Structure formats: structure tokens, C-alpha cells
Amino acid sequence: MDRSALTMQTSRARKSAGLATIAMVVVAASCTEASSGRKLEEDQTRNCVSIADRPVQIAGGTFEMGTGALYPEERPIRTTTVSTFWMERHEVTNRQFAQFVTETGYVTDAERPVDPDLFGVPLEDIPPEMLEPGSAVFSSPSFASRDYRDWWQYLPGASWRKPYGPEGSPAQANEPVVHLTLADMLAYAEWKGGRLPTEAEWEFAARDEGQYRNLQPDPDEANTWQGMFPLENKALDGHDRIAPVGCFEPNSQGLYDMIGNVWEMTADYYTPGRDADAVENPKGPLVGQARDPLNPGFASRVMKGGSFLCAPNYCQRYRPAARQGRDPGMGTSNVGFRLVFDNFPG
């Protein structure tokens, strides 16, 4: 498909209704990531295997969706059934996204100038850098803080090509692609012939014995934040930022990084609780029912799996049932996605 056709089916609008909203957008991704763009020496010794891009079949079945163990938005627990589908083994990588861009000429939202009318304030009140193409990047503060505004910044020049900004290292081929809006993800999905998973499909595929326990994964199990967030990441897992796909063992379904590394977007709209009666291939609430207290005014989508900087003292969302709302209109440096298919892609 050529770029013009893709563009007609995507939205360039950034859902930022003011300068304060730029900051609020990123709190929805509350498990955040380091901005150093530096890999540790340990990263060079970890055995990150090469993973085939071929998806795996997830045989349909029935499972207990949700948990009552920690956060209220994960309730209620209900017996849920999903049909068979195919899921990509790993998050969409920079290598895969680059092929899409090469073949279509697609330009992501983070690479486009920001429309000043979206801010709803006089032009002279908008800092010029906020109108430049860019995205939201985490920067570890030099002091202890519980305020996300102390560690997130809108960084001109940050995009999937340069995830840590124009002065940072370029995107690595086998790392998950980030800094994408929902429109960018859907454009890629259409080109690939797939779709975003429903929340139920994602959680069903992520299930694994022991992963519903309220414990941080061991450093050899997943890429999360070891240490006191947001000040010190000990990086005992060998990474102080996004890890390449294939650095940790897959789950029992043959899927990599379903826990940690980067958050993964799903197709479902977000509400703080879930419908206890929607148990047969549920697809979440209607758009008019979407509600996200952390991002009011936007029809957030559900994201799953936590990010590579989820820490016990700030975010314990490294479990299949964990969920959070995600504003679809602006990318950040710790949110990615993977596709599912109703039939094996030929």
C-alpha cells in the first residue's frame, strides 16, 4: 500500500489540549525508561538469541482473567474464553518498522511538526520547542521525587529513529520500536495484515505459571528496573534501557518479553474496572465508555506488560493481569506493540 492510502486512514492529530497535557500524557506510562541511551558492559555478554519473525499459534481456551492481588483496575477476576489466534513472538522491532517505512514512505507523528491549534492557547504562550517534531523521553532526576514531571520531558528530535533524542544513539535494529502513536501502530498493522490484540488475547497469551505472583521478576527473567526508581537503576538484568528482543527466555507460549522491556498497546479502550459479564472474546468498552482518571478527556487504550523500568517502589505492573491506560495520540520512549493475526499470515 502506498503512503497516501495509509495517510488517509491514520490521524496526525496529537491529542494534547494544553502544555499541562503534554506532561499528563506520559504519566499513563508510569513505568518509565532511562534516557542515557547507554548500554552496560554486561549487555555485551548476555546471550540475546535471534528470533524468527514467524508468529506462533495461541490455541484458544478459557482462563481466569484479572486478579485481586494488587491494583483495583485489575479486578474483577472472571472466567474468560478466547478463540485461537496467531501472535508475533516478539515486539515489533526497529528493523521491521524500518522496512515498513522504506516500502511506504510513512512518516510517524513524532517526525511531524506539532499543530499549535491543538494547544488551545495563544501562539506566544507556547514554547517554540513544543512545536518541533519530537516525543516524550525519560530523564532520571538528580533528586528523589514522586512527581513524574521531574523525570519526563518533551524532547525535540526524539522519534523511533533516535529514541533518546538527536544527541543519543540511533535505534538498534533488534530493539522494540518506540515513540509511536496509535495511528502509527495501526498503519503498520494494516501494511502487515495484522491487528493489535485485544486485552483478553494479550493476557491469555502472557499467562505463565507463577507470573501472577506479586513479585518482581528475577534479573535473568525479564528486563525491569532493579534499584530505587527513579534515581538508581542497578541494571542487574544487564540493561539500563530497552533490551533487544531475545535476551530473556520465552514464556510457555513461546513469546518473548511479555513481561517488562516495553509496554505493549492493545486494541481495547480503557476504563478503571472491567465488565465482569464480558467473558466470551471480550473487546473492551465502547469508545464513549472509555475513561482514564490519569488522562481525563482522552479515550485511552489499554497497555499491558509493564516496561523495562517497572520497580517495586513505583510500579509493580510486571504481571499478565496488570494494565494501565494509554493516550493514543503521543508516543513515549517506553511503549511498543506486537501484532496478532486471525489466520497464519501467508
Side-chain angles (χ1 to χ4, degrees), residues 110-307:
E111 298 172 282
R112 306 169 188 255
V114 180
D115 182 356
D117 291 340
L118 295 174
F119 288 88
V121 297
L123 181 62
E124 58 269 22
D125 292 342
I126 306 174
E129 64 272 15
M130 301 301 294
L131 298 177
E132 297 179 29
S135 191
V137 178
F138 175 87
S139 180
S140 185
S142 60
F143 54 91
S145 174
R146 297 287 293 178
D147 189 339
Y148 63 89
R149 290 169 294 187
D150 290 328
W151 59 72
W152 279 105
Q153 62 175 323
Y154 182 82
L155 187 58
S159 72
W160 74 273
R161 301 176 188 272
K162 298 283 286 189
Y164 302 100
E167 303 303 319
S169 58
Q172 301 300 301
N174 285 324
E175 290 181 0
V177 63
V178 292
H179 292 300
L180 303 183
T181 64
L182 177 65
D184 299 330
M185 296 176 186
L186 293 179
Y188 175 87
E190 182 174 0
W191 172 78
K192 194 73 174 179
R195 58 178 175 81
L196 293 179
T198 66
E199 182 179 5
E201 289 172 333
W202 195 100
E203 189 169 328
F204 179 68
R207 74 200 190 285
D208 223 356
E209 184 178 358
Q211 284 192 336
Y212 281 83
R213 69 190 191 281
N214 183 24
L215 294 173
Q216 184 177 22
D218 291 336
D220 62 350
E221 293 179 328
N223 184 15
T224 61
W225 175 293
Q226 294 89 36
M228 182 63 69
F229 180 86
L231 293 177
E232 180 191 21
N233 182 8
K234 297 179 181 179
L236 301 179
D237 53 28
H239 303 274
D240 68 346
R241 65 172 194 176
I242 298 174
V245 298
C247 293
F248 301 89
E249 291 294 319
N251 70 1
S252 59
Q253 309 299 309
L255 304 171
Y256 293 81
D257 294 321
M258 294 295 280
I259 299 298
N261 213 21
V262 296
W263 284 96
E264 298 185 19
M265 189 79 89
T266 73
D268 287 13
Y269 288 104
Y270 179 85
T271 58
R274 298 188 283 194
D275 186 353
D277 296 325
V279 296
E280 186 76 27
N281 288 315
K283 294 184 177 180
L286 299 175
V287 60
Q289 300 170 319
R291 184 171 66 87
D292 184 358
L294 293 179
N295 201 15
F298 298 107
S300 294
R301 303 286 179 132
V302 176
M303 61 181 185
K304 301 283 284 183
S307 85

